[in-house]
């Protein structure tokens, strides 16, 4: 966390984008290691490098640049799989998983760089981090002490309705704490909308990654953080929260 704060606060646009590209590459490695385990190693390596390249395209704010990057991805990897189809019964599924990785990781994570470029960009990033951490904390303690009703047992057996509600309350508290400490430009309505919206999206992002892990038959996305899983396990809530925060901030301050 101290290293992350230093990077957010002191790095310029180039280094911050490069840092985000590196995070995207590691997250894509974990995603493909889960979803295409033991399969398509050359294609996976190409896709990791290409996915990292998509982050600055997303951050360029040039719609046609990102569109061209995604179109080229379809054409290039479509042709790669055409000539290296391997098992015909699995080739379409493998190609779909590879392409989905681009949308799940670099396209969503690219909004972190876009968020940094907004007026009050650093404050927006800190706001998302505070809300997501407060939501996690509220969900954990309310779930431990009050949890009685399962939220979504097929996907995450340990999560409860009470924990989810506690997470929303924690997110609201985090939004107001941010307003009164480092982000006074936010109004009361902004705190209510962002607290509830980002709190809900962070929980949905966590559930979504849990679904992916269950479908792939793994407990953690990786082992980068011993005892805490991989980088995707740390990013899952943020991947769903960054885009919502960016579009709200863009509407509020950017246009």
């Amino acid at each position: 966390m101290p290293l992350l704060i230093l990077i957010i606060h002191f790095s310029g646009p180039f280094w911050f984008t490069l840092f985000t590209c590196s995070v995207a590459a590691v997250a894509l490695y974990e995603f493909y290691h889960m979803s295409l385990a033991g399969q398509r190693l050359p294609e996976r390596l190409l896709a990791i490098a290409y996915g990292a390249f998509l982050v600055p395209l997303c951050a360029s704010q040039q719609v046609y640049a990102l569109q061209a990057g995604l179109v080229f991805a379809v054409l290039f990897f479509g042709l790669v799989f055409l000539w290296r189809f391997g098992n015909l019964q699995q080739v379409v599924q493998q190609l779909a998983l590879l392409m989905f990785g681009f949308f799940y990781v670099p396209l969503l994570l690219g909004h972190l760089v876009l968020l940094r470029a907004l007026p009050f960009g650093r404050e927006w990033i800190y706001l998302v981090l505070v809300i997501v951490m407060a939501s996690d904390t509220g969900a954990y303690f309310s779930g431990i002490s009050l949890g009685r009703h399962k939220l979504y047992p097929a996907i995450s057996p340990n999560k409860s309705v009470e924990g989810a509600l506690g997470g929303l309350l924690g997110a609201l508290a985090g939004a107001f704490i941010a307003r009164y400490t480092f982000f006074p430009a936010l109004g009361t309505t902004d705190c209510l909308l962002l607290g509830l919206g980002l709190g809900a999206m962070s929980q949905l992002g966590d559930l979504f990654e849990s679904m992916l892990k269950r479908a792939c038959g793994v407990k953690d996305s990786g082992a980068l953080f011993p005892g805490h899983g991989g980088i995707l396990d740390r990013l899952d809530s943020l991947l769903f929260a960054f885009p919502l925060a960016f579009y709200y901030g863009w509407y509020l301050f950017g246009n």
Side-chain angles (χ1 to χ4, degrees), residues 24-26 28-29 32 43-53 102:
V26 177
L28 271 177
Y29 169 82
Y32 292 137
E43 289 86 348
R44 283 160 51 191
L45 295 176
L46 280 173
I48 290 168
Y50 192 84
F53 168 72
F102 296 147

Side-chain angles (χ1 to χ4, degrees), residues 57 66 85 91 100 107 140 160 180 182 236:
L57 287 186
L66 178 60
F85 59 83
V91 63
F100 176 70
L107 188 62
Y140 176 78
S160 66
Y180 289 109
F182 61 84
D236 52 6

Side-chain angles (χ1 to χ4, degrees), residues 1 18 36 75 77 139 176 191 195 200 204 243:
M1 185 58 69
L18 185 63
L36 293 169
L75 297 176
F77 287 100
F176 280 99
C191 291
L204 291 171

Side-chain angles (χ1 to χ4, degrees), residues 136-161:
D136 286 347
T137 303
Y140 176 78
F141 284 107
S142 58
I144 288 292
S145 58
L146 303 173
R148 298 292 183 273
H149 303 88
K150 297 296 184 182
L151 177 67
Y152 203 170
I155 297 298
S156 188
N158 294 325
K159 287 185 170 56
S160 66
V161 174

Side-chain angles (χ1 to χ4, degrees), residues 94-168:
Q94 293 170 343
L95 177 58
L97 286 169
L98 185 136
M99 294 300 300
F100 176 70
F102 296 147
F103 291 92
Y104 180 47
V105 177
L107 188 62
L108 296 183
L109 192 59
H111 287 80
L112 172 60
V113 184
L114 288 170
L115 200 60
R116 169 71 183 276
L118 286 176
F120 308 105
R122 292 179 178 86
E123 287 82 355
W124 277 110
I125 297 174
Y126 293 143
L127 173 72
V128 175
L129 294 176
V130 168
I131 288 177
V132 169
M133 287 188 291
S135 176
D136 286 347
T137 303
Y140 176 78
F141 284 107
S142 58
I144 288 292
S145 58
L146 303 173
R148 298 292 183 273
H149 303 88
K150 297 296 184 182
L151 177 67
Y152 203 170
I155 297 298
S156 188
N158 294 325
K159 287 185 170 56
S160 66
V161 174
E162 293 81 3
L165 294 175
L168 290 178

